[in-house]
Short mmCIF file of all heavy atoms in Angstrom, two decimals:
data_model
loop_
_atom_site.label_atom_id
_atom_site.label_comp_id
_atom_site.label_asym_id
_atom_site.label_seq_id
_atom_site.Cartn_x
_atom_site.Cartn_y
_atom_site.Cartn_z
N ALA A 1 -4.49 163.67 45.65
CA ALA A 1 -5.80 163.09 45.38
C ALA A 1 -6.39 162.38 46.59
O ALA A 1 -7.54 161.92 46.55
CB ALA A 1 -5.70 162.11 44.21
N GLY A 2 -5.61 162.26 47.66
CA GLY A 2 -6.09 161.57 48.85
C GLY A 2 -6.17 160.06 48.67
O GLY A 2 -6.95 159.39 49.35
N LEU A 3 -5.37 159.53 47.76
CA LEU A 3 -5.36 158.09 47.49
C LEU A 3 -4.24 157.43 48.30
O LEU A 3 -3.06 157.79 48.16
CB LEU A 3 -5.16 157.83 46.00
CG LEU A 3 -6.30 158.30 45.09
CD1 LEU A 3 -5.91 158.14 43.62
CD2 LEU A 3 -7.57 157.51 45.38
N VAL A 4 -4.62 156.48 49.12
CA VAL A 4 -3.65 155.78 49.96
C VAL A 4 -3.54 154.34 49.49
O VAL A 4 -4.48 153.55 49.66
CB VAL A 4 -4.07 155.82 51.44
CG1 VAL A 4 -3.03 155.09 52.31
CG2 VAL A 4 -4.26 157.25 51.91
N PRO A 5 -2.43 153.96 48.88
CA PRO A 5 -2.28 152.58 48.39
C PRO A 5 -2.26 151.58 49.55
O PRO A 5 -1.89 151.92 50.68
CB PRO A 5 -0.91 152.61 47.68
CG PRO A 5 -0.66 154.06 47.40
CD PRO A 5 -1.28 154.80 48.54
N PRO A 6 -2.67 150.35 49.31
CA PRO A 6 -2.63 149.32 50.34
C PRO A 6 -1.20 149.07 50.83
O PRO A 6 -0.21 149.42 50.15
CB PRO A 6 -3.17 148.08 49.61
CG PRO A 6 -3.95 148.62 48.47
CD PRO A 6 -3.25 149.87 48.04
N GLU A 7 -1.08 148.44 51.97
CA GLU A 7 0.24 148.18 52.54
C GLU A 7 1.04 147.18 51.72
O GLU A 7 2.25 147.05 51.93
CB GLU A 7 0.09 147.67 53.98
CG GLU A 7 -0.50 148.71 54.93
CD GLU A 7 -0.61 148.19 56.35
OE1 GLU A 7 -0.28 147.00 56.56
OE2 GLU A 7 -1.02 148.97 57.24
N THR A 8 0.39 146.45 50.83
CA THR A 8 1.08 145.46 50.00
C THR A 8 1.80 146.08 48.81
O THR A 8 2.41 145.36 48.03
CB THR A 8 0.07 144.42 49.48
OG1 THR A 8 -1.01 145.11 48.83
CG2 THR A 8 -0.48 143.58 50.61
N VAL A 9 1.73 147.40 48.68
CA VAL A 9 2.33 148.09 47.53
C VAL A 9 3.66 148.73 47.93
O VAL A 9 3.78 149.35 48.99
CB VAL A 9 1.38 149.17 46.98
CG1 VAL A 9 2.00 149.86 45.77
CG2 VAL A 9 0.05 148.56 46.61
N ARG A 10 4.66 148.57 47.07
CA ARG A 10 5.96 149.20 47.27
C ARG A 10 6.34 149.98 46.01
O ARG A 10 6.09 149.53 44.89
CB ARG A 10 7.04 148.14 47.55
CG ARG A 10 6.82 147.34 48.82
CD ARG A 10 7.07 148.19 50.05
NE ARG A 10 6.93 147.39 51.28
CZ ARG A 10 5.80 147.23 51.96
NH1 ARG A 10 4.69 147.78 51.49
NH2 ARG A 10 5.76 146.52 53.06
N TYR A 11 6.96 151.14 46.21
CA TYR A 11 7.40 151.98 45.10
C TYR A 11 8.92 151.97 45.05
O TYR A 11 9.59 152.21 46.05
CB TYR A 11 6.87 153.40 45.26
CG TYR A 11 5.36 153.45 45.20
CD1 TYR A 11 4.59 153.46 46.38
CD2 TYR A 11 4.69 153.45 43.98
CE1 TYR A 11 3.21 153.48 46.33
CE2 TYR A 11 3.30 153.46 43.93
CZ TYR A 11 2.57 153.47 45.10
OH TYR A 11 1.19 153.48 45.05
N VAL A 12 9.44 151.65 43.88
CA VAL A 12 10.88 151.47 43.71
C VAL A 12 11.37 152.47 42.66
O VAL A 12 10.96 152.42 41.51
CB VAL A 12 11.22 150.04 43.26
CG1 VAL A 12 12.74 149.87 43.14
CG2 VAL A 12 10.62 149.02 44.21
N SER A 13 12.24 153.39 43.08
CA SER A 13 12.82 154.36 42.15
C SER A 13 14.07 153.75 41.52
O SER A 13 15.03 153.40 42.23
CB SER A 13 13.19 155.66 42.88
OG SER A 13 12.02 156.31 43.34
N ALA A 14 14.06 153.61 40.20
CA ALA A 14 15.20 153.03 39.50
C ALA A 14 15.14 153.44 38.04
O ALA A 14 14.06 153.52 37.45
CB ALA A 14 15.20 151.51 39.62
N ASP A 15 16.28 153.70 37.47
CA ASP A 15 16.38 154.04 36.05
C ASP A 15 16.69 152.77 35.28
O ASP A 15 17.80 152.23 35.38
CB ASP A 15 17.49 155.09 35.85
CG ASP A 15 17.54 155.61 34.42
OD1 ASP A 15 16.94 154.97 33.53
OD2 ASP A 15 18.17 156.65 34.21
N LEU A 16 15.74 152.26 34.53
CA LEU A 16 15.90 151.00 33.82
C LEU A 16 17.00 151.06 32.77
O LEU A 16 17.46 150.01 32.30
CB LEU A 16 14.58 150.59 33.16
CG LEU A 16 13.42 150.34 34.12
CD1 LEU A 16 12.15 150.04 33.33
CD2 LEU A 16 13.73 149.19 35.07
N ALA A 17 17.41 152.26 32.40
CA ALA A 17 18.48 152.40 31.41
C ALA A 17 19.87 152.25 32.03
O ALA A 17 20.87 152.16 31.31
CB ALA A 17 18.38 153.76 30.71
N GLN A 18 19.93 152.19 33.35
CA GLN A 18 21.22 152.10 34.04
C GLN A 18 21.53 150.66 34.44
O GLN A 18 20.61 149.87 34.73
CB GLN A 18 21.20 152.98 35.30
CG GLN A 18 21.01 154.45 35.01
CD GLN A 18 22.11 155.03 34.15
OE1 GLN A 18 23.30 154.71 34.35
NE2 GLN A 18 21.75 155.87 33.19
N PRO A 19 22.82 150.29 34.45
CA PRO A 19 23.19 148.93 34.89
C PRO A 19 22.78 148.70 36.34
O PRO A 19 22.77 149.62 37.16
CB PRO A 19 24.72 148.92 34.73
CG PRO A 19 25.02 150.04 33.78
CD PRO A 19 23.98 151.09 34.04
N HIS A 20 22.43 147.48 36.63
CA HIS A 20 22.13 147.04 38.00
C HIS A 20 20.90 147.74 38.59
O HIS A 20 20.78 147.85 39.82
CB HIS A 20 23.34 147.26 38.92
CG HIS A 20 24.62 146.70 38.38
ND1 HIS A 20 24.79 145.36 38.10
CD2 HIS A 20 25.79 147.32 38.02
CE1 HIS A 20 26.01 145.17 37.62
NE2 HIS A 20 26.63 146.33 37.54
N TRP A 21 19.99 148.21 37.76
CA TRP A 21 18.77 148.82 38.28
C TRP A 21 18.01 147.85 39.18
O TRP A 21 17.31 148.27 40.12
CB TRP A 21 17.86 149.25 37.12
CG TRP A 21 17.36 148.09 36.29
CD1 TRP A 21 17.90 147.59 35.15
CD2 TRP A 21 16.24 147.22 36.61
NE1 TRP A 21 17.20 146.49 34.71
CE2 TRP A 21 16.18 146.24 35.57
CE3 TRP A 21 15.29 147.20 37.62
CZ2 TRP A 21 15.20 145.25 35.56
CZ3 TRP A 21 14.32 146.20 37.61
CH2 TRP A 21 14.28 145.25 36.57
N GLN A 22 18.15 146.54 38.88
CA GLN A 22 17.38 145.54 39.63
C GLN A 22 17.79 145.44 41.10
O GLN A 22 17.06 144.87 41.92
CB GLN A 22 17.49 144.17 38.96
CG GLN A 22 18.88 143.59 38.92
CD GLN A 22 19.65 144.01 37.66
OE1 GLN A 22 19.44 145.09 37.13
NE2 GLN A 22 20.52 143.12 37.19
N ASP A 23 18.97 145.98 41.44
CA ASP A 23 19.41 145.94 42.83
C ASP A 23 18.41 146.65 43.74
O ASP A 23 18.17 146.24 44.88
CB ASP A 23 20.79 146.57 42.98
CG ASP A 23 21.89 145.75 42.32
OD1 ASP A 23 21.61 144.59 41.95
OD2 ASP A 23 23.01 146.26 42.18
N ALA A 24 17.81 147.74 43.24
CA ALA A 24 16.83 148.48 44.04
C ALA A 24 15.60 147.63 44.31
O ALA A 24 15.02 147.69 45.41
CB ALA A 24 16.44 149.76 43.31
N LEU A 25 15.21 146.82 43.35
CA LEU A 25 14.06 145.93 43.54
C LEU A 25 14.41 144.82 44.52
O LEU A 25 13.61 144.48 45.40
CB LEU A 25 13.62 145.35 42.21
CG LEU A 25 12.42 144.40 42.22
CD1 LEU A 25 11.19 145.08 42.81
CD2 LEU A 25 12.13 143.88 40.82
N LEU A 26 15.60 144.25 44.38
CA LEU A 26 16.01 143.16 45.27
C LEU A 26 16.12 143.63 46.72
O LEU A 26 15.89 142.84 47.65
CB LEU A 26 17.36 142.61 44.80
CG LEU A 26 17.31 141.77 43.52
CD1 LEU A 26 18.72 141.53 42.99
CD2 LEU A 26 16.60 140.44 43.78
N ARG A 27 16.44 144.90 46.91
CA ARG A 27 16.55 145.44 48.27
C ARG A 27 15.19 145.81 48.86
O ARG A 27 15.07 146.05 50.07
CB ARG A 27 17.44 146.70 48.28
CG ARG A 27 18.90 146.45 48.02
CD ARG A 27 19.72 147.69 48.38
NE ARG A 27 19.32 148.85 47.59
CZ ARG A 27 19.86 149.21 46.43
NH1 ARG A 27 20.83 148.48 45.91
NH2 ARG A 27 19.45 150.30 45.81
N CYS A 28 14.18 145.85 48.03
CA CYS A 28 12.86 146.31 48.48
C CYS A 28 12.24 145.30 49.45
O CYS A 28 12.16 144.10 49.15
CB CYS A 28 11.95 146.51 47.28
SG CYS A 28 10.37 147.28 47.71
N PRO A 29 11.80 145.73 50.62
CA PRO A 29 11.17 144.81 51.59
C PRO A 29 9.98 144.08 50.98
O PRO A 29 9.12 144.69 50.34
CB PRO A 29 10.72 145.74 52.72
CG PRO A 29 11.62 146.94 52.60
CD PRO A 29 11.87 147.11 51.14
N GLY A 30 9.94 142.79 51.16
CA GLY A 30 8.83 141.99 50.68
C GLY A 30 9.04 141.34 49.34
O GLY A 30 8.34 140.38 49.00
N PHE A 31 10.02 141.84 48.56
CA PHE A 31 10.24 141.23 47.25
C PHE A 31 11.01 139.92 47.40
O PHE A 31 11.97 139.83 48.16
CB PHE A 31 11.01 142.16 46.32
CG PHE A 31 11.29 141.54 44.97
CD1 PHE A 31 10.29 141.50 44.00
CD2 PHE A 31 12.51 140.94 44.69
CE1 PHE A 31 10.52 140.90 42.77
CE2 PHE A 31 12.75 140.34 43.46
CZ PHE A 31 11.75 140.33 42.51
#
């Protein structure tokens, strides 16, 4: 679509049904 999100946006791939999914968020730069 040619949509470029702002630099303040981060995308985190994680399966919420799995244990320790939050580790991916904690490792995300800026969080």
Side-chain angles (χ1 to χ4, degrees):
L3 294 173
V4 180
E7 295 181 357
T8 53
V9 181
R10 297 288 183 270
Y11 296 97
V12 182
S13 293
D15 187 344
L16 298 176
Q18 298 299 319
H20 310 299
W21 64 265
Q22 63 271 31
D23 291 349
L25 180 59
L26 287 168
R27 291 194 300 268
C28 187
F31 178 80

